[in-house]
Amino acid sequence: LVRMADVCLCEYTDHGHCGVLDGDDVDNDATLPLLAREAVAYARACGDDRLLFKAIRLQMLSESVGSTTPDEGLRLLDALGDDVRRSRPIEVAALAIRSRHLWMRGDVQEARRTIELAAAAAEAVGMRFFVAVCEGFRGELEYRAGDLDAAERAARRGYEILDATGHVGIKTTHAADLATDRARLGRL
């Protein structure tokens, strides 16, 4: 059985475009969260958990970047609570995104605790790639908090995990972060 839905906004606009306009141009930052919410609603309606988890992941990501404020991002994560708790991988992603919103809001200690929970949960279910992603978030958090040694440790751990698991593409980002942290510490 194949299920398809047209996730589009044109039927709700008076201009016929599939997004929110800013002048004559589609504003992607404003459009993506709306499309993601629509995809979640469709996935809930069809009752397929696999589709729902994909849609939730996209919604969390679309609303964690761009112009979303930390408080808006935290409210979104809270609103998705029941759906998020039904999938361990989505729950891990939500914890990592929550930590980012927390440190952006200035709650560094809670952000540290939350990213540690995300990394531990990812490790517990064998999501090594996501442990490395958590280490990238941790490195950014520690750098912004002023703990360059902790930022270097996080970048190194993320790099080593990606190297061991063969994830070459994102490994280069961790290598650059590690080199940057080492240079800031005068260790190059």
Side-chain angles (χ1 to χ4, degrees), residues 5-37:
D6 183 14
V7 179
C8 185
L9 301 177
C10 60
E11 64 268 23
Y12 304 112
T13 65
D14 59 2
H15 49 68
H17 291 286
C18 295
V20 176
L21 290 185
D22 181 12
D24 292 332
D25 298 317
V26 173
D27 181 345
N28 285 330
D29 282 349
T31 300
L32 289 176
L34 298 173
L35 292 173
R37 281 184 226 143

mmCIF file of all heavy atoms in Angstrom, residues 5-37:
data_model
loop_
_atom_site.group_PDB
_atom_site.id
_atom_site.type_symbol
_atom_site.label_atom_id
_atom_site.label_comp_id
_atom_site.label_asym_id
_atom_site.label_seq_id
_atom_site.Cartn_x
_atom_site.Cartn_y
_atom_site.Cartn_z
ATOM 1 N N ALA A 5 0.795 12.152 0.213
ATOM 2 C CA ALA A 5 0.070 13.371 0.557
ATOM 3 C C ALA A 5 0.848 14.550 -0.007
ATOM 4 O O ALA A 5 2.075 14.529 -0.036
ATOM 5 C CB ALA A 5 -0.070 13.501 2.064
ATOM 6 N N ASP A 6 0.140 15.548 -0.435
ATOM 7 C CA ASP A 6 0.770 16.748 -0.954
ATOM 8 C C ASP A 6 0.927 17.725 0.201
ATOM 9 O O ASP A 6 -0.034 18.365 0.620
ATOM 10 C CB ASP A 6 -0.106 17.341 -2.062
ATOM 11 C CG ASP A 6 0.524 18.564 -2.706
ATOM 12 O OD1 ASP A 6 1.728 18.798 -2.495
ATOM 13 O OD2 ASP A 6 -0.203 19.278 -3.407
ATOM 14 N N VAL A 7 2.134 17.793 0.729
ATOM 15 C CA VAL A 7 2.400 18.732 1.818
ATOM 16 C C VAL A 7 2.718 20.070 1.164
ATOM 17 O O VAL A 7 3.811 20.302 0.679
ATOM 18 C CB VAL A 7 3.575 18.249 2.699
ATOM 19 C CG1 VAL A 7 3.843 19.245 3.812
ATOM 20 C CG2 VAL A 7 3.265 16.882 3.272
ATOM 21 N N CYS A 8 1.732 20.914 1.137
ATOM 22 C CA CYS A 8 1.835 22.163 0.397
ATOM 23 C C CYS A 8 0.940 23.199 1.076
ATOM 24 O O CYS A 8 -0.025 22.856 1.748
ATOM 25 C CB CYS A 8 1.374 21.914 -1.039
ATOM 26 S SG CYS A 8 1.588 23.325 -2.106
ATOM 27 N N LEU A 9 1.258 24.452 0.873
ATOM 28 C CA LEU A 9 0.465 25.523 1.485
ATOM 29 C C LEU A 9 -0.352 26.321 0.480
ATOM 30 O O LEU A 9 -1.093 27.210 0.877
ATOM 31 C CB LEU A 9 1.403 26.485 2.235
ATOM 32 C CG LEU A 9 2.261 25.883 3.340
ATOM 33 C CD1 LEU A 9 3.174 26.945 3.921
ATOM 34 C CD2 LEU A 9 1.394 25.272 4.423
ATOM 35 N N CYS A 10 -0.234 25.990 -0.812
ATOM 36 C CA CYS A 10 -0.870 26.845 -1.818
ATOM 37 C C CYS A 10 -2.384 26.933 -1.652
ATOM 38 O O CYS A 10 -2.984 27.960 -1.958
ATOM 39 C CB CYS A 10 -0.499 26.402 -3.222
ATOM 40 S SG CYS A 10 -0.980 24.725 -3.634
ATOM 41 N N GLU A 11 -3.011 25.861 -1.143
ATOM 42 C CA GLU A 11 -4.470 25.919 -0.990
ATOM 43 C C GLU A 11 -4.909 26.842 0.154
ATOM 44 O O GLU A 11 -6.080 27.167 0.273
ATOM 45 C CB GLU A 11 -5.054 24.512 -0.793
ATOM 46 C CG GLU A 11 -4.613 23.814 0.467
ATOM 47 C CD GLU A 11 -3.368 22.947 0.283
ATOM 48 O OE1 GLU A 11 -2.590 23.161 -0.636
ATOM 49 O OE2 GLU A 11 -3.186 22.045 1.107
ATOM 50 N N TYR A 12 -3.935 27.263 0.979
ATOM 51 C CA TYR A 12 -4.268 28.146 2.103
ATOM 52 C C TYR A 12 -3.863 29.597 1.859
ATOM 53 O O TYR A 12 -4.024 30.439 2.732
ATOM 54 C CB TYR A 12 -3.565 27.662 3.383
ATOM 55 C CG TYR A 12 -3.891 26.233 3.722
ATOM 56 C CD1 TYR A 12 -2.925 25.241 3.633
ATOM 57 C CD2 TYR A 12 -5.168 25.863 4.132
ATOM 58 C CE1 TYR A 12 -3.217 23.919 3.951
ATOM 59 C CE2 TYR A 12 -5.471 24.543 4.441
ATOM 60 C CZ TYR A 12 -4.486 23.591 4.342
ATOM 61 O OH TYR A 12 -4.780 22.290 4.652
ATOM 62 N N THR A 13 -3.293 29.873 0.693
ATOM 63 C CA THR A 13 -2.822 31.235 0.425
ATOM 64 C C THR A 13 -3.647 31.883 -0.679
ATOM 65 O O THR A 13 -4.244 31.203 -1.510
ATOM 66 C CB THR A 13 -1.334 31.211 -0.003
ATOM 67 O OG1 THR A 13 -1.218 30.516 -1.247
ATOM 68 C CG2 THR A 13 -0.457 30.542 1.046
ATOM 69 N N ASP A 14 -3.638 33.195 -0.692
ATOM 70 C CA ASP A 14 -4.351 33.907 -1.749
ATOM 71 C C ASP A 14 -3.460 34.169 -2.959
ATOM 72 O O ASP A 14 -3.935 34.603 -3.998
ATOM 73 C CB ASP A 14 -4.948 35.215 -1.232
ATOM 74 C CG ASP A 14 -3.901 36.172 -0.675
ATOM 75 O OD1 ASP A 14 -2.700 35.854 -0.706
ATOM 76 O OD2 ASP A 14 -4.302 37.255 -0.209
ATOM 77 N N HIS A 15 -2.160 33.852 -2.844
ATOM 78 C CA HIS A 15 -1.233 34.099 -3.949
ATOM 79 C C HIS A 15 -0.874 32.829 -4.718
ATOM 80 O O HIS A 15 -0.244 32.898 -5.767
ATOM 81 C CB HIS A 15 0.040 34.785 -3.450
ATOM 82 C CG HIS A 15 0.661 34.138 -2.256
ATOM 83 N ND1 HIS A 15 1.259 32.891 -2.291
ATOM 84 C CD2 HIS A 15 0.747 34.564 -0.973
ATOM 85 C CE1 HIS A 15 1.715 32.583 -1.094
ATOM 86 N NE2 HIS A 15 1.401 33.577 -0.268
ATOM 87 N N GLY A 16 -1.260 31.653 -4.202
ATOM 88 C CA GLY A 16 -1.038 30.405 -4.922
ATOM 89 C C GLY A 16 0.340 29.795 -4.787
ATOM 90 O O GLY A 16 0.605 28.730 -5.328
ATOM 91 N N HIS A 17 1.233 30.449 -4.060
ATOM 92 C CA HIS A 17 2.568 29.897 -3.855
ATOM 93 C C HIS A 17 2.544 28.880 -2.712
ATOM 94 O O HIS A 17 1.660 28.910 -1.857
ATOM 95 C CB HIS A 17 3.583 31.000 -3.551
ATOM 96 C CG HIS A 17 3.865 31.876 -4.716
ATOM 97 N ND1 HIS A 17 4.623 31.473 -5.783
ATOM 98 C CD2 HIS A 17 3.470 33.145 -4.991
ATOM 99 C CE1 HIS A 17 4.701 32.445 -6.664
ATOM 100 N NE2 HIS A 17 4.005 33.481 -6.216
ATOM 101 N N CYS A 18 3.520 27.991 -2.707
ATOM 102 C CA CYS A 18 3.583 26.920 -1.699
ATOM 103 C C CYS A 18 4.322 27.352 -0.444
ATOM 104 O O CYS A 18 4.894 26.528 0.266
ATOM 105 C CB CYS A 18 4.255 25.689 -2.293
ATOM 106 S SG CYS A 18 3.296 24.965 -3.624
ATOM 107 N N GLY A 19 4.355 28.604 -0.148
ATOM 108 C CA GLY A 19 5.061 29.069 1.033
ATOM 109 C C GLY A 19 4.667 30.475 1.424
ATOM 110 O O GLY A 19 3.869 31.134 0.758
ATOM 111 N N VAL A 20 5.263 30.921 2.507
ATOM 112 C CA VAL A 20 5.038 32.268 3.029
ATOM 113 C C VAL A 20 5.869 33.235 2.198
ATOM 114 O O VAL A 20 7.062 32.993 1.952
ATOM 115 C CB VAL A 20 5.469 32.342 4.508
ATOM 116 C CG1 VAL A 20 5.324 33.762 5.045
ATOM 117 C CG2 VAL A 20 4.660 31.358 5.342
ATOM 118 N N LEU A 21 5.243 34.284 1.737
ATOM 119 C CA LEU A 21 5.961 35.264 0.926
ATOM 120 C C LEU A 21 6.545 36.378 1.780
ATOM 121 O O LEU A 21 5.946 36.828 2.757
ATOM 122 C CB LEU A 21 5.029 35.892 -0.115
ATOM 123 C CG LEU A 21 4.562 35.010 -1.265
ATOM 124 C CD1 LEU A 21 3.744 35.841 -2.254
ATOM 125 C CD2 LEU A 21 5.732 34.350 -1.963
ATOM 126 N N ASP A 22 7.718 36.820 1.359
ATOM 127 C CA ASP A 22 8.360 38.017 1.887
ATOM 128 C C ASP A 22 8.589 38.897 0.667
ATOM 129 O O ASP A 22 9.551 38.685 -0.074
ATOM 130 C CB ASP A 22 9.672 37.660 2.584
ATOM 131 C CG ASP A 22 10.364 38.884 3.167
ATOM 132 O OD1 ASP A 22 9.730 39.961 3.236
ATOM 133 O OD2 ASP A 22 11.545 38.762 3.546
ATOM 134 N N GLY A 23 7.667 39.793 0.437
ATOM 135 C CA GLY A 23 7.686 40.539 -0.820
ATOM 136 C C GLY A 23 7.266 39.609 -1.938
ATOM 137 O O GLY A 23 6.201 38.994 -1.885
ATOM 138 N N ASP A 24 8.136 39.448 -2.935
ATOM 139 C CA ASP A 24 7.850 38.553 -4.059
ATOM 140 C C ASP A 24 8.525 37.190 -3.914
ATOM 141 O O ASP A 24 8.398 36.336 -4.787
ATOM 142 C CB ASP A 24 8.322 39.191 -5.381
ATOM 143 C CG ASP A 24 7.493 40.409 -5.757
ATOM 144 O OD1 ASP A 24 6.313 40.463 -5.375
ATOM 145 O OD2 ASP A 24 8.039 41.308 -6.431
ATOM 146 N N ASP A 25 9.256 36.983 -2.832
ATOM 147 C CA ASP A 25 10.023 35.751 -2.654
ATOM 148 C C ASP A 25 9.435 34.878 -1.550
ATOM 149 O O ASP A 25 8.875 35.385 -0.569
ATOM 150 C CB ASP A 25 11.477 36.069 -2.290
ATOM 151 C CG ASP A 25 12.177 36.855 -3.382
ATOM 152 O OD1 ASP A 25 11.993 36.516 -4.567
ATOM 153 O OD2 ASP A 25 12.901 37.819 -3.043
ATOM 154 N N VAL A 26 9.585 33.568 -1.710
ATOM 155 C CA VAL A 26 9.161 32.639 -0.666
ATOM 156 C C VAL A 26 10.196 32.690 0.460
ATOM 157 O O VAL A 26 11.406 32.587 0.230
ATOM 158 C CB VAL A 26 9.032 31.196 -1.215
ATOM 159 C CG1 VAL A 26 8.750 30.220 -0.086
ATOM 160 C CG2 VAL A 26 7.934 31.136 -2.258
ATOM 161 N N ASP A 27 9.729 32.869 1.687
ATOM 162 C CA ASP A 27 10.571 32.908 2.881
ATOM 163 C C ASP A 27 10.694 31.484 3.420
ATOM 164 O O ASP A 27 9.791 30.979 4.091
ATOM 165 C CB ASP A 27 9.943 33.835 3.925
ATOM 166 C CG ASP A 27 10.764 33.968 5.193
ATOM 167 O OD1 ASP A 27 11.677 33.144 5.420
ATOM 168 O OD2 ASP A 27 10.478 34.893 5.973
ATOM 169 N N ASN A 28 11.810 30.830 3.107
ATOM 170 C CA ASN A 28 11.982 29.431 3.509
ATOM 171 C C ASN A 28 11.989 29.245 5.018
ATOM 172 O O ASN A 28 11.443 28.268 5.523
ATOM 173 C CB ASN A 28 13.266 28.852 2.904
ATOM 174 C CG ASN A 28 13.115 28.570 1.434
ATOM 175 O OD1 ASN A 28 12.032 28.262 0.956
ATOM 176 N ND2 ASN A 28 14.197 28.703 0.693
ATOM 177 N N ASP A 29 12.619 30.174 5.760
ATOM 178 C CA ASP A 29 12.647 30.032 7.228
ATOM 179 C C ASP A 29 11.244 30.042 7.814
ATOM 180 O O ASP A 29 10.967 29.342 8.779
ATOM 181 C CB ASP A 29 13.474 31.146 7.879
ATOM 182 C CG ASP A 29 14.972 30.910 7.773
ATOM 183 O OD1 ASP A 29 15.374 29.789 7.385
ATOM 184 O OD2 ASP A 29 15.730 31.849 8.079
ATOM 185 N N ALA A 30 10.360 30.835 7.241
ATOM 186 C CA ALA A 30 8.979 30.886 7.741
ATOM 187 C C ALA A 30 8.144 29.728 7.194
ATOM 188 O O ALA A 30 7.200 29.275 7.844
ATOM 189 C CB ALA A 30 8.337 32.224 7.350
ATOM 190 N N THR A 31 8.487 29.219 6.020
ATOM 191 C CA THR A 31 7.692 28.176 5.360
ATOM 192 C C THR A 31 7.978 26.782 5.906
ATOM 193 O O THR A 31 7.046 25.990 6.120
ATOM 194 C CB THR A 31 7.944 28.206 3.840
ATOM 195 O OG1 THR A 31 7.566 29.495 3.345
ATOM 196 C CG2 THR A 31 7.149 27.130 3.133
ATOM 197 N N LEU A 32 9.243 26.445 6.112
ATOM 198 C CA LEU A 32 9.603 25.075 6.498
ATOM 199 C C LEU A 32 8.892 24.582 7.763
ATOM 200 O O LEU A 32 8.379 23.458 7.775
ATOM 201 C CB LEU A 32 11.113 24.938 6.627
ATOM 202 C CG LEU A 32 11.869 24.990 5.306
ATOM 203 C CD1 LEU A 32 13.372 24.950 5.547
ATOM 204 C CD2 LEU A 32 11.448 23.879 4.381
ATOM 205 N N PRO A 33 8.826 25.363 8.835
ATOM 206 C CA PRO A 33 8.101 24.863 10.015
ATOM 207 C C PRO A 33 6.623 24.593 9.731
ATOM 208 O O PRO A 33 6.050 23.633 10.262
ATOM 209 C CB PRO A 33 8.270 25.981 11.050
ATOM 210 C CG PRO A 33 9.510 26.693 10.637
ATOM 211 C CD PRO A 33 9.517 26.627 9.137
ATOM 212 N N LEU A 34 5.993 25.400 8.887
ATOM 213 C CA LEU A 34 4.586 25.181 8.552
ATOM 214 C C LEU A 34 4.406 23.883 7.765
ATOM 215 O O LEU A 34 3.487 23.102 8.034
ATOM 216 C CB LEU A 34 4.037 26.363 7.750
ATOM 217 C CG LEU A 34 4.047 27.714 8.471
ATOM 218 C CD1 LEU A 34 3.630 28.823 7.515
ATOM 219 C CD2 LEU A 34 3.148 27.674 9.693
ATOM 220 N N LEU A 35 5.293 23.646 6.802
ATOM 221 C CA LEU A 35 5.226 22.404 6.032
ATOM 222 C C LEU A 35 5.494 21.191 6.925
ATOM 223 O O LEU A 35 4.847 20.152 6.788
ATOM 224 C CB LEU A 35 6.227 22.440 4.873
ATOM 225 C CG LEU A 35 5.925 23.428 3.752
ATOM 226 C CD1 LEU A 35 7.083 23.491 2.768
ATOM 227 C CD2 LEU A 35 4.630 23.076 3.046
ATOM 228 N N ALA A 36 6.454 21.337 7.838
ATOM 229 C CA ALA A 36 6.765 20.227 8.749
ATOM 230 C C ALA A 36 5.583 19.910 9.653
ATOM 231 O O ALA A 36 5.256 18.740 9.867
ATOM 232 C CB ALA A 36 8.004 20.566 9.576
ATOM 233 N N ARG A 37 4.906 20.937 10.175
ATOM 234 C CA ARG A 37 3.720 20.694 11.021
ATOM 235 C C ARG A 37 2.625 19.989 10.230
ATOM 236 O O ARG A 37 1.940 19.104 10.749
ATOM 237 C CB ARG A 37 3.198 22.012 11.581
ATOM 238 C CG ARG A 37 4.004 22.499 12.750
ATOM 239 C CD ARG A 37 3.407 23.757 13.350
ATOM 240 N NE ARG A 37 4.520 24.665 13.560
ATOM 241 C CZ ARG A 37 4.485 25.964 13.390
ATOM 242 N NH1 ARG A 37 3.387 26.561 13.014
ATOM 243 N NH2 ARG A 37 5.555 26.683 13.603
#
